[in-house]
Amino acid sequence: VERFKAAMKQAGLKLTPQRMEVFREIAGREDHPDAVGVFTSIRERMPSVSLDTVYRTLWMLKDLGLISVIGSNRESARFDGNLGKHHHFVCVRCGLVRDFEKEELNALPIENDVRKYGSVLETQIEVHGICNACRNTHGDSITSE
Amino acid sequence: VERFKAAMKQAGLKLTPQRMEVFREIAGREDHPDAVGVFTSIRERMPSVSLDTVYRTLWMLKDLGLISVIGSNRESARFDGNLGKHHHFVCVRCGLVRDFEKEELNALPIENDVRKYGSVLETQIEVHGICNACRNTHGDSITSE
DNA sequence: CTTTTTGCAAACAATTTGCAAAAAA
DNA sequence: TTTTTTGCAAATTGTTTGCAAAAAG
């Protein structure tokens, strides 16, 4: 939170309540919401906020390096306040995303395998599965349709 | 290609030239184009094809299990004709995606780390880097803006 | 007081759907 | 000939932009 204020001042950007809320929302959540998800949550506390301000702020935070973006599409992007090295568990049914860390996975020997395509910046593991909530509501949205 | 015809017949679906082209395009490419990418390529050979037919066919192929979809968003999805176990190299600058295989990566011991979130179906490695083409046109779209 | 930021509304882009004409079985 | 599929155009949804009013520094 302090890091945020510092980065804003450093970049010559103004510290507005809206920006404050967007940052706090992303930093404080462990799912990785998309823009509409952030907007919906913030609106409860701050009904005047607009969706386009949320978009603008999220991309601004990304440019400042204060958050990262999951997936390489500008459309339907999810925003991630966790800047540490981590991997993702993704529920294939509902789309839930959760972080996990594992030191051993941070240095996999893959350089040689992808050298022909380009140079490596980082490696992310994406574990696909079914989350606990979806296991319980077992097939409600698949079997019955 | 034969597998395709068989699956179509099996599902009681009609074999149209448009569907043939969509399948051949996905199966024959090693990048993983989105719907518009498929559409653009096919249109060169078959100018009458429409974008919505491409969308419909892609999702149909996915439902039949003949192709898979990268990313969990229905929006801006990329389609993948490679059904074998494989991982992805993704260029963070231009979005290029290439496959690679590595047996050792197919059995990483992560079950315990994500058990609290849900059960595992499969694990995908996503390597982020800069592709060769982007290394060469070094910063043209970043430095100069 | 000066410059940036906000919220609105309109613009854009990507994807989906209704329907009559055309094609496959 | 019967049923499915296509292509068009319109509808929907998600994201971005222009601009005057409001807020930050």
Side-chain angles (χ1 to χ4, degrees):
Chain A
V1 186
E2 289 308 312
R3 168 180 288 199
F4 167 63
K5 293 182 183 176
M8 293 291 279
K9 183 162 290 181
Q10 229 256 289
L13 295 166
K14 298 189 177 180
L15 185 60
T16 67
Q18 290 88 333
R19 286 174 174 173
M20 199 67 217
E21 284 306 316
V22 171
F23 179 75
R24 292 210 311 146
E25 188 67 24
I26 290 289
R29 285 172 70 155
E30 52 174 40
D31 61 340
H32 301 304
D34 61 8
V36 176
V38 173
F39 172 67
T40 306
S41 289
I42 290 181
R43 180 165 244 191
E44 289 169 17
R45 285 171 267 145
M46 186 185 263
S48 64
V49 77
S50 73
L51 179 55
D52 45 282
T53 296
V54 172
Y55 274 109
R56 280 187 286 227
T57 305
L58 286 168
W59 291 116
M60 183 201 74
L61 290 171
K62 183 253 179 185
D63 288 341
L64 292 175
L66 293 170
I67 65 176
S68 63
V69 178
I70 302 176
S72 43
N73 326 310
R74 61 212 109 283
E75 319 252 324
S76 73
R78 289 171 146 246
F79 298 87
D80 186 345
N82 181 351
L83 290 177
K85 196 128 181 52
H86 65 278
H87 308 287
H88 291 134
F89 173 87
V90 182
C91 176
V92 297
R93 192 171 299 166
C94 71
L96 166 138
V97 179
R98 283 292 131 86
D99 295 346
F100 70 97
E101 280 159 51
K102 192 172 177 76
E103 188 56 50
E104 304 93 293
L105 300 180
N106 295 344
L108 295 171
I110 42 153
E111 292 274 345
N112 285 332
D113 301 277
V114 299
R115 176 157 297 141
K116 55 188 161 188
Y117 299 131
S119 59
V120 175
L121 292 174
E122 64 150 0
T123 298
Q124 267 249 338
I125 318 276
E126 209 173 291
V127 178
H128 296 173
I130 308 283
C131 75
N132 295 324
C134 285
R135 302 203 92 195
N136 295 335
T137 60
H138 185 258
D140 278 4
S141 59
I142 289 181
T143 311
S144 61
E145 272 173 22
Chain B
V1 186
E2 287 310 312
R3 168 180 287 199
F4 167 65
K5 293 183 182 176
M8 294 290 282
K9 182 162 289 182
Q10 229 255 289
L13 294 166
K14 298 188 175 178
L15 185 59
T16 66
Q18 291 89 333
R19 286 173 173 172
M20 200 65 216
E21 284 306 316
V22 171
F23 179 75
R24 291 209 311 146
E25 187 67 24
I26 290 289
R29 284 171 71 154
E30 52 173 40
D31 62 339
H32 302 303
D34 61 9
V36 176
V38 174
F39 171 66
T40 307
S41 289
I42 290 180
R43 182 166 242 190
E44 288 169 18
R45 283 171 269 145
M46 185 185 265
S48 64
V49 77
S50 73
L51 180 55
D52 46 283
T53 295
V54 172
Y55 275 109
R56 281 187 286 229
T57 305
L58 286 169
W59 290 116
M60 182 201 75
L61 291 172
K62 182 252 177 185
D63 288 341
L64 292 175
L66 293 170
I67 65 176
S68 63
V69 178
I70 302 176
S72 42
N73 326 309
R74 59 212 110 284
E75 319 253 324
S76 73
R78 290 172 143 243
F79 298 87
D80 186 347
N82 180 352
L83 290 176
K85 195 129 182 49
H86 66 280
H87 307 286
H88 290 136
F89 173 87
V90 181
C91 177
V92 298
R93 192 171 297 167
C94 70
L96 166 138
V97 179
R98 283 293 131 86
D99 296 346
F100 69 96
E101 280 160 52
K102 193 171 175 79
E103 189 56 52
E104 303 93 292
L105 299 180
N106 295 344
L108 295 172
I110 41 149
E111 292 275 345
N112 286 332
D113 301 276
V114 299
R115 178 159 296 143
K116 55 187 163 188
Y117 300 130
S119 59
V120 174
L121 292 173
E122 66 149 0
T123 298
Q124 267 251 338
I125 318 276
E126 209 174 292
V127 177
H128 296 174
I130 307 283
C131 74
N132 295 325
C134 284
R135 302 205 92 196
N136 295 335
T137 58
H138 184 262
D140 278 2
S141 57
I142 288 183
T143 310
S144 59
E145 272 173 24

